[in-house]
Amino acid sequence: MRTEPRLVSLQRRLLLAMAGGFALLLLIISVLLWSYARTAANRINDLPLAGAALAMLERASIGPEGPTIDLPNSAMDILALNTRDRVQYRVFSPTMGEITGTGDLPLPDGMDLSDVPRFYDATYLGAPFRFVIQGRRMNTPSGRDWIVVQVGQTVETRRHDQMSFYLSGMTGLAALSVIGLVCVWIAIRTALAPLRQIAGELRRRDPADLADIPGSPPREIRGLFTAINGFIARLRQNRALTETFIADVAHQTRTSLSALQGHLALAADATDYPEMKARVDKAGRQAARTVRLSNQLLANAMVIHRSDRASLQPLSLCPLVRDTLADLLRDSRMRRIALSFEDEALAPEGDRIRGDALSIREALNNLVENAARHGPADNSILVALENTPGRVVLRVEDAGPGIAEADLARATERFTSLAAATRGSGLGLSIVQAVAEGHDAVLRLSRSRLGGLCAELSFPRLAALMAVLLCWGAGEVPAARAEALSLFSATDAAAMEPLIAAFEARNPGIEVAFTEFHTVDLYKRLRAAAPGTMPDVVISSAMDLQVDLVNRGLARRLALPATHRPPDWAQWRGELFGFTFEPAAVIYDTRFLGAHDLPSNHRDLAQFIRDNEARLTGRIGSYDLRSSGIGYLYATQDSLQGPQAQRLIEVLGRARVRTYCCTADMFAATARGELALAHNVIGSYAATLARGAPHVGLHFFDDYNLVMTRTAFVPRDARAPDLGARFVEFLLSPAGQEVIAAHTPLIPLAPERHPDLPIARRIAERPGAFLAIRLSPSLLTYLDRLKQRDFLRAWDASVLR
Amino acid sequence: MRMLVVEDNEDLAETIVDRLRAEGHSVDRESDGAEASALLRHASFDLVLLDVNLPGRSGYEVLRAMRARDDDTPVIILTARSQIDDRVIGLDAGADDYMIKPVDFRELSARCRVLARRRAGTATNVFTAGSLSFDRRGKRALIDGADAGLKAREIQLLEIMIDNLGRMLSKEEVADRLYTFDETPSLNAVEQLFTRLRRKLDGTPLVIKTARGLGYLAYVSDED
C-alpha cells in the first residue's frame, strides 16, 4: 500500500514540472513574440513610406527659381494603400529652406543628411507618427546641396497589425501547450503502468522466493526488469554456492579438528614420555594441517567473494608475479628450491589483463606452495609468463612427482588431495580454479617437461589501445591531382594574371584556365550557355551586364567571411561582388592644357569646351557607346546626375568628338598629341599608363567622379563552384586586395587602406567627390531596350552629325 | 638477543615468548601499543615483533614513531590481515619483514635469526657466519682466518648482500647499489661478479642463491 501513493506523486511531479516548463517557455516566447510582432508590423508598414519617399525624391530637381519637386502621383498612391492612416509630407533643403509640404514636421534627434532612408517615431499634433526622412544631393548653382524629403503616417494600422500578429501567435502557442500537457499526462500514466505491475509482483513475494519475475514488459522498462531478474538470479546462485561451501567447510573443519582433539586426548592419556611425544608430534602435524585448511578456506572464500563482486581492474601481471615470488622467497623453506622466472617471451604491454590482484596472488601462492610441498626439498620451480594469440599465460611447473594423468581431472575438485603422504588441505588447486573462473581464464593441468606438474592459467589479454599511428591528414589534404578552375573574364590579362598567379601559389593543386572576352561577348556567351559549359567564375567590368545576369538567377550565393565582405554598394544579393575601385577620370595633354585650365565640375565642363571650341574641335576623345560597355555605363550614370549631361553630349557633338573603343586607345592618342583631352577614361588604367607618359595628365572633378567596380560571380551551374567561391573570396581577401594594389593596374576596393598608391593620394584629396555606382537593379533601367534605344538615338543625333 | 614482543592476545603472546625464551633469547612483552611505544623510547632491543591490531596505538603507528626517531631496530610485523595494502603499508612504514598469522614458529625463528644477523653485522662491523668473517670497516673478508682474496667490487657486493640478508634483490637493484652515479652499470658484469663471489665463498655457510629471472638472495645455511 505504501508504494501506490509514491507512484501517483511521481506522476504529479512530472506533470507539474512540465507545466512549469511550458509556462516558462510561453512567457519567454510571449515577450519575444511581442517584439517580433512590432518589428514585423513596422517593416511591413515602412515599405510604402520608403517607396513614397523615393518616388518623390526622384522628381526633385533644381529649377530656374531654385530647388523644386514635381510631386508624382505614385507617391501618394503608394501611401494610400494603407487605407487607415493619415499622411504628412515635407520637402525641404537645409540651406535653401522649405520647398513644399508641412513645414513643421518633427525631425529626428541627431539628424545628419543622408541618401539612405531613416525611419523614426515622433509625435505630431498629439498623434504618434512614423516618419521616414531621406535626402538627395543635387547640383545647384552654388554647388551641391541636399534636398530632403520627409514622409509620415499615423501608426494605427501598425498597432493593429502588431496586436493581431501577437494574439494569433500566442493563441496558437497556448493551444499547443495545453495539448502538449495532456499528451504528457497520458504518456506518463502509460509509461509507469509496468512499474506498478513489477512493484505489485515484488511486494507479494516471499523473501525466500528467488524465482524470476514473470512477464514481458515494454522495451524501456525491460532494462530495469532484466536487471532485477539478473540480480535475483545472482542472489540465487550466490546462496547456492554459499550453502554448499558452508556444508563443505563444516565437514572439513570438524573432521580436522576432531582428529586433532583425538591425538591430544591420546597424548594426555599416554603413560610414557615417548608415546606422549609421538602423539603430540602427530597432534602438531594435524594442527598444522588444520591451520593450513583454515587459511585455504579463508582464501577460497575471499576469492569467491571477490570474483562475485566482479571488480576486475586492468593490471600488469609481470610486476605482480615478481612481487609475489619475491615475497615467497623470504620463506626459509624455499631456500633450497631453485625458483626461476621467465618473461622474455612477453610482448610489450603483453601482460595486461583485467584482473583482481589479490586473487591472482592467492592463486600463484597456492601453485608455488603446492609445488614446494609435494616435491623434494631441492625442487626446481619454473614460473613463466608468455603470450599466445589474444591471451596471457601464467605457467608454474616443477620437477616434483606431478599428478598422474588419470587424476588430473579430479585435482581441482574441492577437498580432494591426491597424494596421501603429502596431503594438503585439498583446496589449493580448487582455489586456483575458482580464480580462473572469476577471471574468465582457463586452468590447464598437465605434465611438465621438468617431470612434475605443469599448471597453466590462461587469461584473456587486455586489448591494448594501440595508438593508431595515423597522420591525420598532416595539415592540408594533399591534392594528388590538379583541380581545374575555369575563369571567364572581360578584364584583360595584364590585370588578371598577377591575381591568378597569386591564387595558384596559395592553392597548390588548383589550375586556373583563363579565357578573355569583350564585355558584350561575355554577356551574350553566358546568356546562351548550355548547362555544363558554365565557367566557375565570371569577371567583368560591365556592372550593368553583370547585374542583369545575376538578376536572371544565373549566380550562386556565396558566404564570405566578415573580413572579406565588400561595402554595401559593391555587392548585390550576396551573389555579385565588386572587387575594385575604378573612378572615371579626364586625361589631357599637359603640353596643350594646364591643370588650372580644366573645369572643376561637370557643369563647367560643357562651358569649358564651348569656350575653347576653336582649339579643342576634333581633339576631344570619348567612348563609342555602342562598342564600349564602360562608356555606356558612365554616360548613362552621368545622365542620372542631372541635365548637364545632356548638354555635354550636345557640346561634344559640336566639337566633333572622336570616339574610341577603349581607354587604352584614348590614352595612346592623347600621348601622341592627337587628343587634347579625353573624357570618362578608366582612371586606374590611365594612372598606370601615365607612368610611362609624363606629359599626359589625370584630372578629377570636385563635384563628383563616377566610380565603377569590376565584379565577379560564381554561376549556379558551375562545374567546380567551391573553387570558384574560393577564387572570389581570394579577390576580396586582404591578401588579394594587396595583390591588386601592388601588382595590377587596378585599384583595390578601399584605396584609403593602400596609401602608398599614388592614385590613392589623389582620391584622398577629394573626400566625398567619388560617387560609387551602386550594384543594384536600378542599373537595369538603362538596359531596357527602349531606354537604351532612346539614349543612343539622342547620342547619335548629337555626336554623329 | 634482546627481543620485544608486542601482542595483545594472551595465548599467542605466551606461546611466542616461551618459544623465544626456550631458544635462549631474553624477551620482554607488551600488550598495548602506547605502552610499547613508550618503552621503545627508553630501552633498546635487538628485535621487535609487532602485532598490527593493538589497543592504544596501532602497530603501524608504533613503527612509524620508531623510524621517525631514527630508531632502526629490526621489526617484524605480525598481521592477520592479508590485503595487499597491509603489506605495502607495513613495509613503507619501515618494517623489515612481515608474517601472516597463524605463524609457523620455525619460520618465525628463522626470520628472527636472519634479522639478527643483519643487525649484528652493522652494529659491530664484523659479520660472522661459520668460517666466514667479514670486516666492514677494513673491507676485508676472511675464511677460516685467511684472507679470502676478494677484489674491491666483490667486497662491495658481499657487503650489499649481507646488508640485505634474507631479502631478494633484483639484478637492477644490485647494480643500483653497486655502481655510483656516473658509472654505467652492466648487468652482465653483475652476473659475472656473483659467479666469482659465489665461487670464493664456496664452503662457507653464506649462500648466495640465484633465482633466475628474479634476483639474488643471501642466507646463512647452518640453521636449516
Side-chain angles (χ1 to χ4, degrees), chain A residues 496-621:
Chain A
M496 289 307 296
E497 251 155 38
L499 281 166
I500 292 173
F503 177 76
E504 280 178 338
R506 276 175 174 68
N507 294 274
I510 302 184
E511 252 177 61
V512 178
F514 173 75
T515 318
E516 197 174 331
F517 292 84
H518 286 304
T519 50
V520 180
D521 293 336
L522 176 59
Y523 171 78
K524 288 187 185 154
R525 167 74 178 265
L526 263 104
R527 283 284 303 276
T533 62
M534 282 289 196
D536 301 312
V537 182
V538 178
I539 293 180
S540 172
S541 48
M543 293 169 73
D544 46 357
L545 296 178
Q546 295 278 80
V547 169
D548 183 81
L549 290 174
V550 173
N551 193 43
R552 286 171 195 280
L554 259 59
R556 180 182 275 264
R557 180 152 294 172
L558 303 181
L560 292 177
T563 42
H564 297 5
R565 267 183 229 137
D568 275 342
W569 63 267
Q571 70 90 24
W572 187 45
R573 294 172 53 83
E575 294 174 7
L576 184 63
F577 299 93
F579 59 96
T580 59
F581 184 96
E582 321 244 13
V586 167
I587 52 174
Y588 61 99
D589 191 338
T590 52
R591 303 169 296 196
F592 193 75
L593 291 170
H596 50 277
D597 295 333
L598 292 171
S600 60
N601 61 54
H602 286 77
R603 180 181 299 274
D604 291 346
L605 180 60
Q607 195 58 45
F608 172 77
I609 296 173
R610 287 262 6 225
D611 291 345
N612 292 285
E613 205 166 54
R615 324 194 265 159
L616 294 176
T617 301
R619 302 197 60 197
I620 304 178

Side-chain angles (χ1 to χ4, degrees), chain A residues 291 295 302 306 320-323 325-327 329-342 357-358 361-362 382, chain B residues 82-84 87 91 96-98 101-102 104 106-107 110-111 114 166-168 209-214 217 219-221 224:
Chain A
V291 164
N295 278 341
M302 177 197 75
R306 287 182 85 87
L320 179 63
V321 170
R322 275 181 195 275
D323 264 356
L325 294 178
D327 268 354
L329 279 174
R330 280 173 200 266
D331 197 312
S332 56
R333 286 166 296 196
M334 293 288 291
R335 279 185 189 169
R336 292 182 59 199
I337 292 180
L339 182 64
S340 56
F341 176 54
E342 274 174 11
L358 214 49
R361 277 180 92 84
E362 197 56 51
L382 170 61
Chain B
S82 59
Q83 304 282 46
I84 282 184
R87 185 180 131 266
L91 294 175
D96 295 82
D97 205 346
Y98 75 96
K101 290 194 260 187
D104 179 82
R106 263 182 306 168
E107 186 59 31
R111 306 261 187 125
V114 167
R167 211 191 319 189
M168 194 196 82
K209 176 191 158 84
T210 306
R212 197 167 55 81
L214 292 167
L217 178 93
Y219 66 92
V220 179
S221 77
D224 251 31

Side-chain angles (χ1 to χ4, degrees), chain A residues 296-609:
Chain A
Q296 300 286 48
L297 286 173
L298 288 169
N300 206 4
M302 177 197 75
V303 165
I304 290 175
H305 168 71
R306 287 182 85 87
S307 69
D308 247 9
R309 277 176 59 216
S311 56
L312 300 182
Q313 302 290 332
L315 60 84
S316 296
L317 270 179
C318 200
L320 179 63
V321 170
R322 275 181 195 275
D323 264 356
T324 312
L325 294 178
D327 268 354
L328 278 167
L329 279 174
R330 280 173 200 266
D331 197 312
S332 56
R333 286 166 296 196
M334 293 288 291
R335 279 185 189 169
R336 292 182 59 199
I337 292 180
L339 182 64
S340 56
F341 176 54
E342 274 174 11
D343 65 346
E344 287 81 25
L346 267 185
E349 303 284 320
D351 63 336
R352 300 279 294 170
I353 62 160
R354 261 189 185 282
D356 176 53
L358 214 49
S359 309
I360 296 175
R361 277 180 92 84
E362 197 56 51
L364 183 57
N365 269 329
N366 271 290
L367 284 174
V368 175
E369 274 170 9
N370 246 16
R373 192 166 344 108
H374 293 266
D378 57 355
N379 205 351
S380 294
I381 302 181
L382 170 61
V383 180
L385 269 180
E386 57 193 23
N387 287 127
T388 59
R391 301 189 84 83
V392 188
V393 179
L394 172 63
R395 189 169 63 245
V396 179
E397 38 185 343
D398 67 90
I403 299 178
E405 296 286 340
D407 295 330
L408 278 176
R410 278 203 304 143
T412 56
E413 282 172 17
R414 254 193 255 155
F415 303 122
T416 308
S417 189
L418 298 169
T422 55
R423 203 168 12 153
S425 62
L427 270 181
L429 284 174
S430 67
I431 289 177
V432 181
Q433 179 67 32
V435 170
E437 277 162 22
H439 283 73
D440 210 12
V442 176
L443 173 65
R444 198 169 78 96
L445 298 173
S446 58
R447 180 153 283 256
S448 150
R449 57 210 148 111
L450 299 173
L453 179 67
C454 173
E456 284 176 318
L457 260 180
S458 161
F459 295 90
R461 184 172 163 184
L462 184 61
L465 287 173
M466 298 234 101
V468 183
L469 298 173
L470 282 179
C471 302
W472 284 109
E476 272 115 20
V477 179
R481 56 191 200 299
E483 300 172 271
L485 186 155
S486 158
L487 172 64
F488 284 9
S489 170
T491 299
D492 61 317
M496 289 307 296
E497 251 155 38
L499 281 166
I500 292 173
F503 177 76
E504 280 178 338
R506 276 175 174 68
N507 294 274
I510 302 184
E511 252 177 61
V512 178
F514 173 75
T515 318
E516 197 174 331
F517 292 84
H518 286 304
T519 50
V520 180
D521 293 336
L522 176 59
Y523 171 78
K524 288 187 185 154
R525 167 74 178 265
L526 263 104
R527 283 284 303 276
T533 62
M534 282 289 196
D536 301 312
V537 182
V538 178
I539 293 180
S540 172
S541 48
M543 293 169 73
D544 46 357
L545 296 178
Q546 295 278 80
V547 169
D548 183 81
L549 290 174
V550 173
N551 193 43
R552 286 171 195 280
L554 259 59
R556 180 182 275 264
R557 180 152 294 172
L558 303 181
L560 292 177
T563 42
H564 297 5
R565 267 183 229 137
D568 275 342
W569 63 267
Q571 70 90 24
W572 187 45
R573 294 172 53 83
E575 294 174 7
L576 184 63
F577 299 93
F579 59 96
T580 59
F581 184 96
E582 321 244 13
V586 167
I587 52 174
Y588 61 99
D589 191 338
T590 52
R591 303 169 296 196
F592 193 75
L593 291 170
H596 50 277
D597 295 333
L598 292 171
S600 60
N601 61 54
H602 286 77
R603 180 181 299 274
D604 291 346
L605 180 60
Q607 195 58 45
F608 172 77
I609 296 173

Side-chain angles (χ1 to χ4, degrees), chain B residues 2 9 24 29 37 52 60 76 79 92 97 100 104 112 132 137 154 157 163 165 203 207 210 214 218 223:
Chain B
R2 275 206 68 194
N9 180 292
R29 188 227 157 176
S37 204
V52 169
Y60 293 136
I76 299 182
T79 172
D92 275 354
D97 205 346
I100 303 177
D104 179 82
C112 287
L132 175 68
R137 196 138 9 129
E154 290 159 6
L157 187 60
D163 278 346
L165 205 62
V207 179
T210 306
L214 292 167
E223 276 103 20

